Amino acid sequence: MTRATYGVDETIRAYLLANLPPEHPLLAELREVTATMTRSRMQISPEQGHFLAFLVRLIGARRVLEVGTYTGYSSLCMALAMPSDGRIVACDMSAEWTDVAKQFWKKAGLADRIELRLGSAVDTMEALIKERQEFDFVFIDANKEDYDAYYESALRLVRPNGLIAIDNMLREGRVADPSMTQLSISAVRDLNAKIAKDERGDRVLITVGDGMMLVRLR
Ligand SMILES: C[S@@+](CC[C@H](N)C(=O)[O-])C[C@H]1O[C@@H](n2cnc3c(N)ncnc32)[C@H](O)[C@@H]1O
C-alpha cells in the first residue's frame, strides 16, 4: 500500500487525489506492480510525485540526483517532468528493486536519461563530489541513519540556488515523540533541528507525504 500524506484523513485525501492532474499511466502501473512487492510503503505517494515534478519544472532542473530509488516511482515522476536533455543519477543498493525501476524507465523511453549507481549512497555521493559533478536538484529518500551525511554531501553537489528535498522528515509523527530514541528516528529529528538553524540555505519543512524538508542553497 502506498503511504498517504501523514495526518490527512481519508475523505480529504480522496478529495486531494481527485483534484490532482491525471497520473501518467506508467506511474499508475508502477504503483500497482510495487504494491505486490515487499516494502511497498517505501514508495512516495502520488501527491508527492506531482510535487516533485512541479519542483523540477519550477527550477528548470536538467541535472537531478536521487538518493534512494527503490522501484523507480520518484525518478520516473522527475524524468517525465524534465526536458529531453535532462539527466538523473539514481542511487540505490538493491539490484532487485531497481530492476523494476529499469523496466519502467525503459517502457517510458527514458532509460538513456537515467544513470543508476548501485552501492552505498554515501560512497556514491563521495565519488560524485570527486568527479566534480553538479546538480540542480537533489532528492534524498534512502536509509534515515545516513541522512545527515546525505545532506552534507548534497550541499556540496547542488549548485548555488539549487534545491535539496528530503523525504520522511516527520517519520509519521515519531520525530515529535522524545521517547522514540532509535537512530532511524533520532537522526531525522536531529537533522530537522540542524537545518532549522542552518544559514547555508533557505529552508522550509512541509507536511506533504511523510514530511518533506526543502533547502535552497544560498
Ligand atoms: C524509501 S525507499 C525509496 C523510494 C523511492 N524514492 C520511490 O519513490 O519509490 C529507500 C531506498 O533506499 C535504498 N537504500 C537503503 N539504504 C541505502 C544505502 N545505504 N545506500 C543506497 N541506497 C540505500 C533502499 O534499497 C530503498 O530502495
Side-chain angles (χ1 to χ4, degrees), residues 42-44 68-70 74 92-93 97 119-121 141-143 150:
M42 293 203 298
Q43 186 175 58
I44 62 161
T69 295
Y70 187 45
S74 46
D92 207 285
M93 53 193 315
W97 288 330
S120 141
D141 188 21
N143 60 313
Y150 297 149

Side-chain angles (χ1 to χ4, degrees), residues 148 151-152 189-198 200:
D148 188 72
Y151 173 61
E152 288 298 329
R189 183 185 297 128
D190 292 349
L191 184 57
N192 276 323
K194 170 174 156 172
I195 292 176
K197 295 197 210 109
D198 193 346
R200 291 174 291 180

